[in-house]
């Protein structure tokens, strides 16, 4: 048997531990939901495009922040053209992951019908204005003309694209 004072302290402590465990379970559930949502909205594989080697990896910038609004896509337009997109929605939660899915779908749809990189961004921006999500989105679009070995790029707040040469030096494209 514990004296009343110790019993009161232990009861309070048990209540605090229970609340902490509930918060931890809720965090884990939200994290799992956001991670599942994000991985379900990103491409499972990139399309095979003749004369173009591709690879995609999701590498989060911060430790423990492996979910959120980062997205990428590769759209095979014609036998000799493709459109690639990379972007980021502000945030690391289910809201960012859901908006990422909407933005990626809009970019993909506009690219599929042949819009230029600038038009893809302008049209997607109009969608964002209508949605009014309260989050920032950055994006970089590149139209690749493999037949003529040219790329046309447009960016909306996203860091510039880089070309890394075999000797290791990099060149900014924008």
């Amino acid at each position: 048997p514990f004296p009343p004072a110790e019993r009161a302290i232990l009861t309070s402590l048990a209540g605090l531990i229970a609340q902490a465990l509930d918060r931890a379970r809720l965090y884990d559930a939200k994290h799992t939901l956001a991670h599942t949502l994000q991985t379900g909205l990103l491409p499972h594989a990139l399309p095979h495009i003749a004369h173009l080697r591709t690879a995609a990896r999701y590498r989060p910038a911060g430790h423990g922040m492996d979910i959120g609004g980062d997205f990428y896509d590769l759209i095979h337009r014609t036998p000799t053209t493709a459109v690639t997109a990379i972007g980021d929605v502000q945030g690391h939660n289910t809201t960012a992951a859901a908006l990422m899915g909407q933005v990626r779908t809009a970019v993909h749809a506009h690219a599929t019908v042949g819009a230029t990189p600038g038009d893809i961004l302008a049209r997607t921006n109009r969608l964002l204005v209508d949605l009014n999500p309260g989050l920032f989105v950055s994006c970089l679009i590149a139209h690749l003309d493999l037949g003529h070995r040219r790329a046309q790029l447009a960016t909306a707040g996203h860091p510039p694209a880089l070309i890394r040469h075999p000797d290791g030096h990099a060149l900014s494209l924008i």
Side-chain angles (χ1 to χ4, degrees):
F2 293 99
E6 284 184 32
R7 199 174 10 227
I9 290 172
L10 291 172
T11 301
S12 294
L13 187 58
L16 292 173
I17 291 170
Q19 289 175 6
L21 285 172
D22 282 345
R23 284 192 300 273
R25 284 188 192 116
L26 180 61
Y27 174 82
D28 285 346
K30 284 182 177 181
H31 184 272
T32 300
L33 174 63
H35 182 73
T36 302
L37 180 61
Q38 181 183 33
T39 56
L41 293 172
L42 289 174
H44 298 290
L46 297 176
H48 173 73
I49 300 174
H51 310 292
L52 183 64
R53 276 192 320 185
T54 60
R57 289 168 188 75
Y58 179 72
R59 301 279 187 206
H63 177 68
M65 297 194 315
D66 57 344
I67 51 139
D70 301 320
F71 66 95
Y72 57 88
D73 207 350
L74 178 65
I75 301 104
H76 194 184
R77 285 261 309 116
T78 70
T80 60
T81 63
V83 175
T84 186
I86 185 169
D88 186 15
V89 175
Q90 172 191 8
H92 295 277
N93 53 31
T94 54
T95 303
L99 183 59
M100 173 271 291
Q102 291 173 307
V103 171
R104 181 177 167 254
T105 300
V107 166
H108 194 102
H110 296 308
T112 301
V113 297
T116 66
D119 285 341
I120 292 169
L121 292 175
R123 292 173 184 179
T124 303
N125 187 60
R126 279 196 293 277
L127 170 71
L128 286 169
V129 168
D130 289 344
L131 291 174
N132 192 19
L135 298 173
F136 293 106
V137 179
S138 67
C139 190
L140 182 132
I141 307 288
H143 178 267
L144 308 173
D145 183 341
L146 303 171
H148 293 100
R149 300 181 65 118
R150 282 188 244 160
Q152 180 185 13
L153 287 87
T155 184
H158 202 273
L162 301 173
I163 290 182
R164 183 179 178 273
H165 293 273
D167 66 3
H169 83 278
L171 176 67
S172 175
L173 294 180
I174 293 181

